[in-house]
Amino acid sequence: MRESKKCIIVDDEPAAHYVLANYIKQNPQLELVFQGYNGIEAMDYLRENTVDLMFLDINMPEISGMELLKILPTHPKTILTTAYSEFALESYDYGVIDYLLKPIYFPRFLKAIDRFFATETVKIKTEETIVNSVSVKVDGYFIEIELDQLLFAQSFGNYVKLHTVKRTYLASITTSEFEKCLPEKNFMRIHKSYIVALDKIEATDKDFVVIKNEKLPVGITYKRELSDRLKK
């Protein structure tokens, strides 16, 4: 059985707390350790405590959920809860695992929790280990992606498209989580939506790189680092 993971709820609606707390209690792999009703309470708690998972409402007074993610230097893995969907794409830039629309139904909650535990079981090697492959969940099963076959990774909502020499996989993991699994000397994020294998780059321009005839955009904040690394 998996180790119990500590989680918190941050939401200004008591009804949302009631629903989520009830769902959490039905899952023995989760331990509810804190309930906050605004961003300030959450910040105070997270300064002093380590948490594995945060259920975070977006629409809160004073500090919204998105603002909280921006303010926190580091934050737990997060599942957003809201009645609105317009912030879904922006949320993926902050390593959000899933996005639950209210009213939250139990089967959808369980799917989000399964996604959380999938990220927990990704094989992250230590720096001393030679990383030849990464284990990711594809269509409900874990498979090994050989890193010398990986061309680039592309954000796709709560998933990542892994483009390899032979085929493309849709993996159940966020781009931020997948990036942590890769050896930094071989791979680099060149855009909020793209991570590339440096040795697979065939050509470069000021705004894009070319890999297997695919033009991939280079974000302005990554241009200098990319240029420096390609010179080495």
Side-chain angles (χ1 to χ4, degrees):
M1 185 172 177
R2 298 180 179 124
E3 177 187 354
S4 178
K5 298 296 182 180
K6 295 180 179 180
C7 61
I8 66 173
I9 300 170
V10 184
D11 197 308
D12 63 323
E13 300 177 359
H17 280 260
Y18 176 82
V19 171
L20 286 170
N22 181 48
Y23 289 170
I24 291 168
K25 287 177 182 177
Q26 295 182 57
N27 193 321
Q29 297 166 340
L30 298 177
E31 178 188 2
L32 181 59
V33 295
F34 174 77
Q35 293 180 241
Y37 290 83
N38 57 61
I40 300 298
E41 292 179 355
M43 290 174 62
D44 290 342
Y45 184 83
L46 291 172
R47 286 193 189 102
E48 304 294 332
N49 300 275
T50 300
V51 174
D52 300 299
L53 177 62
M54 173 168 61
F55 293 92
L56 177 64
D57 184 27
I58 288 181
N59 298 284
M60 295 186 295
E62 298 179 353
I63 298 178
S64 71
M66 295 304 301
E67 289 170 339
L68 179 63
L69 292 178
K70 294 176 184 178
I71 292 171
L72 291 171
T74 59
H75 59 79
K77 292 179 180 178
T78 301
I79 295 175
L80 291 177
T81 62
T82 183
Y84 308 95
S85 61
E86 62 266 28
F87 297 103
L89 291 177
E90 182 184 358
S91 70
Y92 298 136
D93 295 339
Y94 298 94
V96 170
I97 294 173
D98 209 342
Y99 193 99
L100 297 178
L101 286 176
K102 298 176 181 178
I104 300 168
Y105 298 103
F106 192 50
R108 184 64 182 85
F109 170 87
L110 292 177
K111 183 177 180 181
I113 296 305
D114 183 62
R115 183 166 287 153
F116 163 67
F117 278 110
T119 66
E120 288 288 291
T121 55
V122 170
K123 297 178 182 177
I124 302 177
K125 314 304 194 291
T126 63
E127 292 183 1
E128 293 76 20
T129 303
I130 298 175
V131 181
N132 295 317
S133 65
V134 172
S135 178
V136 293
K137 196 173 185 180
V138 176
D139 294 332
Y141 298 93
F142 282 96
I143 66 170
E144 292 289 325
I145 300 294
E146 300 296 326
L147 293 185
D148 63 356
Q149 298 294 301
L150 180 62
L151 302 174
F152 63 93
Q154 177 184 4
S155 296
F156 195 73
N158 283 325
Y159 298 83
V160 175
K161 281 187 176 181
L162 304 178
H163 299 259
T164 72
V165 172
K166 295 182 178 180
R167 58 168 290 184
T168 298
Y169 300 90
L170 187 61
S172 180
I173 188 173
T174 67
T175 308
S176 296
E177 289 296 329
F178 184 68
E179 185 178 18
K180 295 176 183 177
C181 304
L182 301 173
E184 293 184 4
K185 67 177 182 178
N186 304 116
F187 294 86
M188 178 184 164
R189 184 187 285 266
I190 62 167
H191 185 275
K192 66 180 181 179
S193 298
Y194 290 92
I195 300 170
V196 302
L198 293 170
D199 65 348
K200 300 298 192 300
I201 295 176
E202 300 166 349
T204 63
D205 191 85
K206 64 177 182 177
D207 296 318
F208 62 84
V209 299
V210 177
I211 298 179
K212 291 292 182 181
N213 297 320
E214 291 276 351
K215 286 187 176 182
L216 309 180
V218 178
I220 189 170
T221 58
Y222 303 97
K223 290 182 179 181
R224 178 65 178 272
E225 181 184 355
L226 178 62
S227 176
D228 291 343
R229 294 187 65 176
L230 290 178
K231 290 177 182 178
K232 294 180 180 180

